[in-house]
Amino acid sequence: MSTTRRRLLTGLTASAATAASGLLATRPAQAATGPAASGHHDTDVVMIGGGYSGLACARALAAAGRQVLVLEARDRVGGRCLNQTLPAPFGNYVVEGGAEFIGPGQTRMYELVQQLGLVTHTAYTTGKLVNWANGRRSTYDGVLPLNNLLAAGEVGLAMLKIDAMAKQVPLDAPWTAAKAAEWDKQTVQSWIDANLFIKDSKNLLRLAVLSLLSTEPQDISLLYLLFYVNSGGGLTPLLSTTGGGQQDRIVGGSQAIALAMARELGTSRFLFNAQAQSLTQDAGGVTVEGPNFSVRAQRAVVAMSPWMASRLSLAPLDGPTQLRLQMAQRVPMGSIWKVHCLYDRPFWRDDGLNGQVTSDNFITRVTFDNTPPEPGAPGALMGFIDGVDAREALLMTPAVRKRKVIEAFTAYFGAKAASPIGYLEMNWQAENFSGGGPTGHFPPGVLTAYGSTLRPPTGRVHWAGTETATIWTGYMEGAVRSGERAAQEVLTR
């Protein structure tokens, strides 16, 4: 989801998001753009995956005059980026059920927005943030909640240490860092335990990790976190709204970019409901097969997360392909839900709040004001359920899960939050062609042992996906860059 990124901390406030008149999201949020898969097809390059990396790759190859065919197992484009249409009477509006934000430094996303005739608007940041810690609610401005000055100071120093270490990790080959072996043996949690001593500061740093990767710190290699931080320019840009990765949203929802790219490519370049099951190489090309269809091409681009790619049957299984599969089996997805409560209006703004929360309790610990920018839209509070909380939520009934989300929002924003007029949720663990989100992550030992297999082609098969990016990995920006990199590999061969 896309890449689904969030800010935990913000250094500045910004003016309210301005509405872009006349740009209501009236088309279906999950519109398919082509026929279901059947029969045999021939093309120059076959793309497996219609998310942002696959679309960007197909777009670049088509612009260079190559024939491309995109296989998408779902009935829609966008991958981990998905608009959700609001229930009646607000069916002309959407919220983002997956990847959502873009920000400074994500140059390819802004270029796509401009090229495709779309419009951005700033995320709402006017007002104070809410902090819930140790059973108490407080509000704050600035970078860190200051109800515990010692904890704030300790977290600030820890962030500086992480940024300094991250700069020592090469973006194109993190496994070659001078301390790669030392850092890849550690989990992020073991580093937190060795370097932080105050409970509140440990909770804040855990929340930062959850907000980035939707994975518990004990499950992530320290080396991988340092690479991830460096790829986004540091913890502050990654975690910030104004001036950071969560600064802007797309009018009409972020999936509007994928839908526009698909329309530009044209329906003839897509097969939907086309789950690729096997990929076979030979001296003359590649053959991709799935239920009721097959595709013959000169080259293939697998534009999926490593975990999803590990489900493909590949032949022949030469040494490089085996190593790539071994790596893919070891890169799991994060655990994440995205939930929305709808209200007649964004009442929290009247109370001087910007809708953003940091919390050490409740089912959703990070929230945003996700009100659509168009005139007449209802107020929308969005929250993330991450890590252990996301896994526990899988075993709840829908009614219990909804009650717990409303309980959290009521604690953060008061009694007015207790009676939403609508509720939406997106469970990415139940999405069979994502398996979780927002991105794959590397547990200890995997980067140093298998990282060198992540990007290089294996014969006529090229590998894309946001996990293979070196800049803004895990984000829509990283997905687009990875697809364009794979397209250049194909063209040079």
Side-chain angles (χ1 to χ4, degrees), residues 27 52 81 83 116 118 250-261 263:
R27 53 183 185 272
Y52 275 66
C81 184
N83 287 349
L116 298 169
L118 300 172
I250 312 302
V251 174
S254 54
Q255 194 188 4
I257 300 174
L259 293 167
M261 283 195 284
R263 286 194 298 272

Side-chain angles (χ1 to χ4, degrees), residues 171-478:
L171 291 175
D172 59 344
W175 48 90
T176 66
K179 295 185 177 180
E182 174 187 341
W183 288 339
D184 207 28
K185 290 178 181 178
Q186 299 181 58
T187 67
V188 176
Q189 186 64 56
S190 65
W191 188 89
I192 290 174
D193 291 340
N195 289 271
L196 284 81
F197 304 96
I198 301 172
K199 176 185 174 183
D200 286 353
S201 58
K202 290 184 177 184
N203 285 337
L204 278 172
L205 202 53
R206 170 182 177 251
L207 191 58
V209 174
L210 282 172
S211 74
L212 292 175
L213 293 162
S214 299
T215 304
E216 297 293 337
Q218 66 261 27
D219 297 329
I220 307 170
S221 157
L222 176 61
L223 177 63
Y224 180 67
L225 178 68
L226 297 176
F227 158 73
Y228 195 90
V229 168
N230 196 20
S231 79
L235 272 176
T236 297
L238 284 169
L239 296 170
S240 294
T241 302
T242 303
Q246 287 68 237
Q247 175 175 286
D248 294 315
R249 296 168 61 198
I250 312 302
V251 174
S254 54
Q255 194 188 4
I257 300 174
L259 293 167
M261 283 195 284
R263 286 194 298 272
E264 181 186 74
L265 285 164
T267 58
S268 63
R269 291 191 172 109
F270 288 88
L271 291 180
F272 287 90
N273 301 303
Q275 182 181 359
Q277 295 176 327
S278 66
L279 193 160
T280 303
Q281 300 189 61
D282 56 45
V286 297
T287 301
V288 177
E289 295 181 296
N292 305 316
F293 75 91
S294 64
V295 179
R296 180 67 177 174
Q298 295 177 26
R299 291 186 176 272
V301 178
V302 180
M304 300 189 293
S305 70
W307 180 81
M308 283 301 305
S310 72
R311 298 166 67 178
L312 282 171
S313 175
L314 303 175
L317 279 175
D318 58 12
T321 302
Q322 292 175 51
L323 281 174
R324 219 287 174 176
L325 279 175
Q326 286 284 301
M327 179 276 297
Q329 294 167 12
R330 289 165 167 79
V331 184
M333 301 298 290
S335 302
I336 183 173
W337 299 68
K338 203 171 182 185
V339 296
H340 287 84
C341 282
L342 308 178
Y343 303 90
D344 288 328
R345 56 189 312 278
F347 64 85
W348 51 93
R349 299 180 183 180
D350 300 333
D351 299 332
L353 303 175
N354 64 20
Q356 297 173 29
V357 168
T358 58
S359 174
D360 68 357
N361 199 4
F362 299 108
I363 192 173
T364 178
R365 300 167 187 259
V366 175
T367 75
F368 277 90
D369 179 334
N370 221 34
T371 303
E374 300 92 346
L381 281 174
M382 178 265 286
F384 295 94
I385 309 175
D386 298 302
V388 169
D389 295 321
R391 295 194 287 274
E392 291 178 351
L394 296 173
L395 303 180
M396 298 175 186
T397 65
V400 168
R401 194 165 48 247
K402 177 181 177 181
R403 176 174 58 79
K404 286 183 173 291
V405 170
I406 294 173
E407 177 187 15
F409 286 175
T410 303
Y412 304 149
F413 300 105
K416 296 176 186 176
S419 301
I421 60 174
Y423 175 78
L424 294 168
E425 62 182 26
M426 180 62 194
N427 172 17
W428 286 96
Q429 291 72 226
E431 231 277 4
N432 192 40
F433 302 112
S434 295
T439 185
H441 61 272
F442 286 72
V446 178
L447 261 182
T448 49
Y450 298 98
S452 62
T453 70
L454 185 60
R455 281 182 294 276
T458 51
R460 293 177 175 269
V461 180
H462 302 257
W463 306 94
T466 190
E467 291 84 2
T468 71
T470 58
I471 303 294
W472 287 101
T473 185
Y475 290 71
M476 292 183 287
E477 175 78 12

Side-chain angles (χ1 to χ4, degrees), residues 50-98:
Y52 275 66
S53 57
L55 291 169
C57 187
R59 192 171 182 260
L61 290 171
R66 302 301 190 271
Q67 290 184 334
V68 295
L69 185 64
V70 180
L71 306 180
E72 173 50 58
R74 304 172 179 89
D75 62 355
R76 62 172 180 85
V77 293
R80 285 166 261 171
C81 184
L82 172 68
N83 287 349
Q84 292 178 297
T85 301
L86 300 189
F90 302 109
N92 281 340
Y93 307 98
V94 300
V95 291
E96 297 87 348

Side-chain angles (χ1 to χ4, degrees), residues 158-168 226 229 233-237:
M159 291 174 66
L160 291 174
K161 288 181 181 178
I162 290 172
D163 277 350
M165 292 188 296
K167 291 177 182 177
Q168 302 174 45
L226 297 176
V229 168
L235 272 176
T236 297

